[in-house]
Short mmCIF file of all heavy atoms in Angstrom, two decimals:
data_model
loop_
_atom_site.label_atom_id
_atom_site.label_comp_id
_atom_site.label_asym_id
_atom_site.label_seq_id
_atom_site.Cartn_x
_atom_site.Cartn_y
_atom_site.Cartn_z
N PRO D 177 19.17 31.82 8.69
CA PRO D 177 20.03 30.99 7.78
C PRO D 177 21.11 30.17 8.47
O PRO D 177 21.56 30.61 9.44
CB PRO D 177 20.59 32.06 6.78
CG PRO D 177 20.70 33.33 7.70
CD PRO D 177 19.48 33.27 8.55
N LEU D 178 21.35 29.13 7.87
CA LEU D 178 22.42 28.21 8.39
C LEU D 178 23.78 28.81 8.00
O LEU D 178 24.07 29.07 6.81
CB LEU D 178 22.24 26.82 7.80
CG LEU D 178 23.27 25.82 8.33
CD1 LEU D 178 23.07 25.49 9.75
CD2 LEU D 178 23.21 24.54 7.43
N PRO D 179 24.62 29.11 9.00
CA PRO D 179 25.98 29.62 8.74
C PRO D 179 26.73 28.68 7.83
O PRO D 179 26.63 27.42 7.82
CB PRO D 179 26.59 29.69 10.10
CG PRO D 179 25.47 29.80 11.07
CD PRO D 179 24.45 28.92 10.41
N ARG D 180 27.64 29.34 6.89
CA ARG D 180 28.39 28.50 5.96
C ARG D 180 29.33 27.54 6.66
O ARG D 180 29.46 26.44 6.20
CB ARG D 180 29.20 29.55 5.12
CG ARG D 180 28.37 30.34 4.15
CD ARG D 180 29.29 31.29 3.34
NE ARG D 180 28.62 32.15 2.46
CZ ARG D 180 27.95 33.27 2.78
NH1 ARG D 180 28.07 33.66 3.98
NH2 ARG D 180 27.29 33.94 1.90
N GLU D 181 29.88 27.92 7.80
CA GLU D 181 30.72 27.04 8.50
C GLU D 181 30.15 25.82 9.02
O GLU D 181 30.75 24.88 9.36
CB GLU D 181 31.63 27.82 9.58
CG GLU D 181 30.71 28.47 10.64
CD GLU D 181 30.26 29.84 10.33
OE1 GLU D 181 30.27 30.21 9.15
OE2 GLU D 181 29.76 30.47 11.31
N ARG D 182 28.81 25.89 9.22
CA ARG D 182 28.06 24.72 9.74
C ARG D 182 27.31 23.94 8.67
O ARG D 182 26.65 22.89 9.01
CB ARG D 182 27.10 25.25 10.81
CG ARG D 182 27.74 25.73 12.06
CD ARG D 182 26.66 26.32 12.98
NE ARG D 182 25.65 25.31 13.29
CZ ARG D 182 24.42 25.57 13.67
NH1 ARG D 182 24.01 26.95 13.88
NH2 ARG D 182 23.48 24.75 13.81
N THR D 183 27.48 24.34 7.45
CA THR D 183 26.85 23.79 6.25
C THR D 183 27.60 22.44 6.00
O THR D 183 28.90 22.31 5.91
CB THR D 183 26.86 24.60 5.09
OG1 THR D 183 26.16 25.87 5.39
CG2 THR D 183 26.15 23.84 3.85
N PRO D 184 26.92 21.23 5.74
CA PRO D 184 27.57 20.05 5.51
C PRO D 184 28.45 20.18 4.29
O PRO D 184 28.16 20.87 3.32
CB PRO D 184 26.47 19.12 5.16
CG PRO D 184 25.24 19.65 5.97
CD PRO D 184 25.44 21.10 5.90
N LEU D 185 29.64 19.50 4.17
CA LEU D 185 30.59 19.60 3.19
C LEU D 185 30.07 19.33 1.83
O LEU D 185 30.35 20.02 0.80
CB LEU D 185 31.72 18.69 3.54
CG LEU D 185 32.87 18.63 2.45
CD1 LEU D 185 33.55 20.00 2.41
CD2 LEU D 185 33.94 17.59 2.85
N ALA D 186 29.12 18.38 1.79
CA ALA D 186 28.52 17.97 0.46
C ALA D 186 27.72 19.17 -0.09
O ALA D 186 27.63 19.22 -1.38
CB ALA D 186 27.61 16.78 0.70
N LEU D 187 27.30 20.08 0.67
CA LEU D 187 26.52 21.33 0.21
C LEU D 187 27.37 22.46 0.10
O LEU D 187 27.02 23.43 -0.71
CB LEU D 187 25.35 21.61 1.21
CG LEU D 187 24.31 20.47 1.24
CD1 LEU D 187 23.29 20.89 2.22
CD2 LEU D 187 23.68 20.17 -0.10
N GLN D 188 28.57 22.53 0.70
CA GLN D 188 29.52 23.68 0.59
C GLN D 188 30.02 23.75 -0.87
O GLN D 188 30.32 24.85 -1.21
CB GLN D 188 30.62 23.54 1.63
CG GLN D 188 30.19 23.72 3.09
CD GLN D 188 31.31 23.68 3.98
OE1 GLN D 188 32.54 23.95 3.60
NE2 GLN D 188 31.07 23.52 5.28
N ILE D 189 30.16 22.75 -1.53
CA ILE D 189 30.65 22.74 -2.82
C ILE D 189 29.72 23.15 -3.97
O ILE D 189 30.11 23.42 -5.09
CB ILE D 189 31.26 21.36 -3.34
CG1 ILE D 189 30.15 20.26 -3.36
CG2 ILE D 189 32.36 20.91 -2.34
CD1 ILE D 189 30.59 18.92 -3.83
N ILE D 190 28.52 23.37 -3.59
CA ILE D 190 27.50 23.88 -4.42
C ILE D 190 27.12 25.35 -4.14
O ILE D 190 26.99 25.76 -2.95
CB ILE D 190 26.12 23.06 -4.22
CG1 ILE D 190 26.32 21.54 -4.50
CG2 ILE D 190 25.10 23.60 -5.23
CD1 ILE D 190 25.15 20.71 -4.18
N ASN D 191 27.14 26.13 -5.16
CA ASN D 191 26.85 27.54 -5.02
C ASN D 191 25.45 27.69 -4.46
O ASN D 191 24.46 27.32 -5.16
CB ASN D 191 27.00 28.31 -6.25
CG ASN D 191 28.43 28.47 -6.68
OD1 ASN D 191 29.37 28.57 -5.79
ND2 ASN D 191 28.71 28.56 -7.95
N ALA D 192 25.23 28.27 -3.35
CA ALA D 192 23.94 28.46 -2.70
C ALA D 192 23.23 29.76 -3.01
O ALA D 192 23.96 30.75 -3.27
CB ALA D 192 23.93 28.28 -1.13
N LEU D 193 21.93 29.72 -3.06
CA LEU D 193 21.20 30.93 -3.26
C LEU D 193 21.21 31.72 -1.92
O LEU D 193 20.89 31.11 -0.88
CB LEU D 193 19.73 30.68 -3.59
CG LEU D 193 19.34 30.58 -5.13
CD1 LEU D 193 17.96 30.15 -5.23
CD2 LEU D 193 19.64 31.82 -5.90
N GLU D 194 21.72 32.99 -1.96
CA GLU D 194 21.76 33.77 -0.73
C GLU D 194 20.78 34.89 -0.79
O GLU D 194 20.89 35.85 -1.56
CB GLU D 194 23.16 34.33 -0.49
CG GLU D 194 24.32 33.32 -0.65
CD GLU D 194 24.56 32.63 0.65
OE1 GLU D 194 23.97 32.92 1.70
OE2 GLU D 194 25.42 31.75 0.62
N GLU D 195 19.62 34.78 -0.10
CA GLU D 195 18.53 35.72 -0.23
C GLU D 195 18.95 37.12 0.16
O GLU D 195 18.46 38.13 -0.37
CB GLU D 195 17.36 35.31 0.55
CG GLU D 195 16.10 36.13 0.21
CD GLU D 195 14.88 35.60 0.91
OE1 GLU D 195 14.92 34.64 1.70
OE2 GLU D 195 13.82 36.31 0.78
N GLU D 196 19.83 37.23 1.11
CA GLU D 196 20.34 38.55 1.62
C GLU D 196 21.32 39.12 0.72
O GLU D 196 21.70 40.34 0.87
CB GLU D 196 20.79 38.46 3.03
CG GLU D 196 22.13 37.67 3.13
CD GLU D 196 22.71 37.57 4.57
OE1 GLU D 196 22.05 38.25 5.42
OE2 GLU D 196 23.73 36.99 4.80
N SER D 197 21.88 38.48 -0.31
CA SER D 197 22.86 38.92 -1.18
C SER D 197 22.24 39.96 -2.19
O SER D 197 21.10 39.76 -2.64
CB SER D 197 23.51 37.76 -1.96
OG SER D 197 24.34 38.24 -2.98
N ARG D 198 23.01 40.98 -2.51
CA ARG D 198 22.57 41.94 -3.59
C ARG D 198 22.33 41.21 -4.90
O ARG D 198 21.57 41.71 -5.78
CB ARG D 198 23.51 43.15 -3.61
CG ARG D 198 23.41 43.94 -2.38
CD ARG D 198 24.39 45.15 -2.61
NE ARG D 198 25.80 44.74 -2.58
CZ ARG D 198 26.77 45.52 -2.73
NH1 ARG D 198 26.59 46.88 -2.85
NH2 ARG D 198 28.08 45.09 -2.72
N GLY D 199 23.11 40.16 -5.13
CA GLY D 199 23.02 39.51 -6.46
C GLY D 199 21.98 38.36 -6.45
O GLY D 199 22.07 37.55 -7.40
N PHE D 200 21.07 38.31 -5.52
CA PHE D 200 20.08 37.25 -5.48
C PHE D 200 19.23 37.19 -6.67
O PHE D 200 19.01 36.12 -7.21
CB PHE D 200 19.25 37.52 -4.19
CG PHE D 200 18.12 36.50 -4.02
CD1 PHE D 200 18.37 35.10 -3.67
CD2 PHE D 200 16.78 36.79 -4.21
CE1 PHE D 200 17.47 34.23 -3.53
CE2 PHE D 200 15.80 35.89 -4.09
CZ PHE D 200 16.07 34.61 -3.75
N SER D 201 18.70 38.20 -7.11
CA SER D 201 17.90 38.27 -8.37
C SER D 201 18.59 37.70 -9.49
O SER D 201 17.97 36.96 -10.29
CB SER D 201 17.35 39.73 -8.60
OG SER D 201 16.53 40.15 -7.57
N THR D 202 19.91 38.10 -9.65
CA THR D 202 20.66 37.59 -10.82
C THR D 202 20.88 36.06 -10.67
O THR D 202 20.82 35.37 -11.69
CB THR D 202 22.02 38.28 -10.80
OG1 THR D 202 21.84 39.80 -10.99
CG2 THR D 202 22.88 37.83 -12.03
N GLN D 203 21.14 35.68 -9.48
CA GLN D 203 21.28 34.18 -9.18
C GLN D 203 20.11 33.47 -9.58
O GLN D 203 20.13 32.35 -10.27
CB GLN D 203 21.53 33.91 -7.73
CG GLN D 203 22.94 34.11 -7.27
CD GLN D 203 23.15 33.67 -5.83
OE1 GLN D 203 22.55 34.26 -4.89
NE2 GLN D 203 24.02 32.76 -5.65
N VAL D 204 18.78 33.91 -9.19
CA VAL D 204 17.60 33.30 -9.54
C VAL D 204 17.49 33.21 -11.02
O VAL D 204 17.06 32.13 -11.58
CB VAL D 204 16.43 34.02 -8.84
CG1 VAL D 204 15.15 33.46 -9.41
CG2 VAL D 204 16.49 33.88 -7.29
N GLU D 205 17.64 34.26 -11.73
CA GLU D 205 17.52 34.34 -13.16
C GLU D 205 18.47 33.33 -13.93
O GLU D 205 18.11 32.70 -14.89
CB GLU D 205 17.66 35.73 -13.71
CG GLU D 205 16.58 36.64 -13.19
CD GLU D 205 16.85 38.07 -13.66
OE1 GLU D 205 17.87 38.31 -14.31
OE2 GLU D 205 15.96 38.99 -13.31
N ARG D 206 19.68 33.15 -13.38
CA ARG D 206 20.70 32.33 -13.95
C ARG D 206 20.28 30.87 -13.79
O ARG D 206 20.61 30.06 -14.58
CB ARG D 206 22.07 32.68 -13.42
CG ARG D 206 23.19 31.93 -14.09
CD ARG D 206 24.60 32.31 -13.54
NE ARG D 206 24.74 31.77 -12.25
CZ ARG D 206 24.81 32.49 -11.15
NH1 ARG D 206 24.70 33.78 -11.25
NH2 ARG D 206 24.96 31.96 -9.97
N ILE D 207 19.79 30.52 -12.60
CA ILE D 207 19.54 29.12 -12.24
C ILE D 207 18.26 28.55 -12.89
O ILE D 207 18.29 27.55 -13.55
CB ILE D 207 19.47 28.99 -10.75
CG1 ILE D 207 20.84 29.13 -10.14
CG2 ILE D 207 18.99 27.59 -10.29
CD1 ILE D 207 20.85 29.17 -8.58
N PHE D 208 17.17 29.28 -12.77
CA PHE D 208 15.84 28.82 -13.18
C PHE D 208 15.58 29.23 -14.59
O PHE D 208 14.75 30.08 -14.87
CB PHE D 208 14.79 29.34 -12.14
CG PHE D 208 14.95 28.90 -10.77
CD1 PHE D 208 15.57 29.78 -9.89
CD2 PHE D 208 14.54 27.71 -10.38
CE1 PHE D 208 15.79 29.40 -8.58
CE2 PHE D 208 14.70 27.33 -8.99
CZ PHE D 208 15.31 28.09 -8.17
N GLN D 209 16.27 28.40 -15.55
CA GLN D 209 16.12 28.80 -16.90
C GLN D 209 14.98 27.97 -17.60
O GLN D 209 14.99 26.68 -17.24
CB GLN D 209 17.48 28.58 -17.67
CG GLN D 209 18.54 29.50 -17.25
CD GLN D 209 19.81 29.43 -17.95
OE1 GLN D 209 19.88 28.77 -18.99
NE2 GLN D 209 20.84 29.91 -17.39
N GLU D 210 14.20 28.54 -18.39
CA GLU D 210 13.10 27.76 -19.03
C GLU D 210 13.62 26.61 -19.83
O GLU D 210 12.96 25.53 -19.94
CB GLU D 210 12.33 28.66 -19.83
CG GLU D 210 11.04 28.08 -20.35
CD GLU D 210 10.00 27.90 -19.22
OE1 GLU D 210 10.15 28.47 -18.16
OE2 GLU D 210 9.12 27.06 -19.32
N SER D 211 14.73 26.69 -20.58
CA SER D 211 15.24 25.58 -21.38
C SER D 211 15.63 24.37 -20.56
O SER D 211 15.39 23.29 -20.99
CB SER D 211 16.42 26.08 -22.09
OG SER D 211 17.54 26.45 -21.19
N VAL D 212 16.11 24.60 -19.32
CA VAL D 212 16.37 23.49 -18.45
C VAL D 212 15.11 22.81 -17.96
O VAL D 212 14.98 21.55 -17.92
CB VAL D 212 17.16 23.99 -17.23
CG1 VAL D 212 17.43 22.82 -16.12
CG2 VAL D 212 18.52 24.55 -17.59
#
Side-chain angles (χ1 to χ4, degrees):
L178 181 67
R180 291 179 181 82
E181 59 272 15
R182 292 176 52 204
T183 301
L185 180 61
L187 296 179
Q188 288 184 19
I189 62 177
I190 305 175
N191 289 329
L193 272 174
E194 308 276 355
E195 191 177 357
E196 66 177 359
S197 170
R198 289 181 295 179
F200 177 71
S201 297
T202 302
Q203 278 186 299
V204 170
E205 293 173 0
R206 186 179 69 250
I207 292 173
F208 299 96
Q209 298 183 14
E210 191 66 22
S211 60
V212 176

